[in-house]
Amino acid sequence: MIEKTRLALEKYVPKQAAPIIARWIHQAPCLFKISKSRTSKFGDYRSPYKDKGHRISVNHNLNPYAFLVTTVHEFAHLKTWNEHRTKAKPHGIEWKQNFKLLMKPFFEMEVFPDDVRQAVLSYLANPAASSCSDLTLYRILKQYDHPKNGHVRVEELALGSAFALPNGRIFKKGEKNRTRFRCEEIATGKIYLFSPVAEVFKL
């Protein structure tokens, strides 16, 4: 069973990382789901609830380094929950320590290119950030994506520009609110917050 998991993971993470992730999934145990693409996050963790155990999902369309960083991020949440339940903050010192601990074997194996390694080390200094909201790490990881035709980042659009999501919903870019842009959905007039590096289609 663990061998089947390893082989499946090799499609998504650097090959030498797959056995470690497969072992974590079976030791937890954890329901590990390869998810559809989500613009607001790379992955998520859900703690045990009623008859459900640990659940982790990671977006299917991430490049191998982004997929691995996100997976380690979520397993650090799982480990922190096992040790502290709800007493620890989501990205507090306990999570930070566990993230460093779980990331260590991948550093020792030199899985990451130098620029990704340095960005991850810097990211660890700010435990309040996720890999999706830490713009420096996000931009470094995105360099290893395959180019996407027609995509632009929200931060590249002029104020007032219209853009569309893959599902067809259309928005107008507004002012920046601290770290995100306030964008109005044309059809409903509702305001949604978008990350500066969210990828959209310019209209």
Side-chain angles (χ1 to χ4, degrees):
M1 191 64 160
I2 193 168
E3 180 67 10
K4 184 178 179 180
T5 303
R6 179 188 67 79
L7 290 172
L9 286 168
E10 285 183 0
K11 300 175 185 177
Y12 299 96
V13 300
K15 189 173 182 178
Q16 62 268 48
I20 296 175
I21 302 299
R23 187 170 70 248
W24 290 355
I25 291 171
H26 287 272
Q27 284 179 347
C30 169
L31 176 62
F32 191 88
K33 180 182 177 183
I34 310 296
S35 174
K36 64 181 181 180
S37 176
R38 294 165 289 188
T39 57
S40 61
K41 57 186 175 182
F42 284 174
D44 65 13
Y45 164 71
R46 294 175 185 266
S47 58
Y49 178 73
K50 293 185 177 179
D51 60 339
K52 296 180 179 179
H54 297 289
R55 288 153 290 159
I56 287 175
S57 67
V58 181
N59 292 4
H60 75 95
N61 61 334
L62 301 182
N63 69 58
Y65 304 123
F67 196 102
L68 179 56
V69 169
T70 301
T71 299
V72 177
H73 179 117
E74 305 307 341
F75 267 101
H77 283 305
L78 186 155
K79 182 173 172 59
T80 303
W81 190 91
N82 276 344
E83 293 171 350
H84 304 281
R85 296 297 191 268
T86 58
K87 295 178 181 178
K89 293 181 180 180
H91 296 103
I93 188 65
E94 298 88 356
W95 173 84
K96 180 181 178 182
Q97 291 171 343
N98 282 327
F99 188 82
K100 282 183 176 179
L101 181 67
L102 294 178
M103 190 61 78
K104 186 177 179 181
F106 305 112
F107 281 162
E108 292 174 345
M109 295 161 62
E110 298 183 346
V111 167
F112 298 110
D114 287 342
D115 56 349
V116 174
R117 177 188 173 92
Q118 290 303 316
V120 172
L121 289 172
S122 297
Y123 161 57
L124 281 172
N126 180 15
S130 71
S131 57
C132 194
S133 61
D134 185 295
L135 298 187
T136 300
L137 177 58
Y138 183 92
R139 288 189 175 100
I140 294 293
L141 290 172
K142 292 296 286 182
Q143 292 176 8
Y144 293 89
D145 282 357
H146 294 297
K148 296 178 181 177
N149 292 330
H151 285 72
V152 296
R153 297 192 299 269
V154 170
E155 65 183 357
E156 297 174 322
L157 295 170
L159 196 66
S161 295
F163 64 89
L165 300 182
N167 62 11
R169 294 168 68 187
I170 299 174
F171 296 82
K172 183 172 71 174
K173 179 181 175 180
E175 298 285 350
K176 195 172 185 179
N177 179 12
R178 201 165 64 85
T179 60
R180 294 173 179 259
F181 287 97
R182 292 170 54 85
C183 300
E184 179 186 353
E185 185 175 20
I186 302 300
T188 64
K190 292 182 178 180
I191 300 296
Y192 293 84
L193 298 179
F194 280 80
S195 165
V197 291
E199 293 185 339
V200 298
F201 297 100
K202 183 179 180 180
L203 298 178

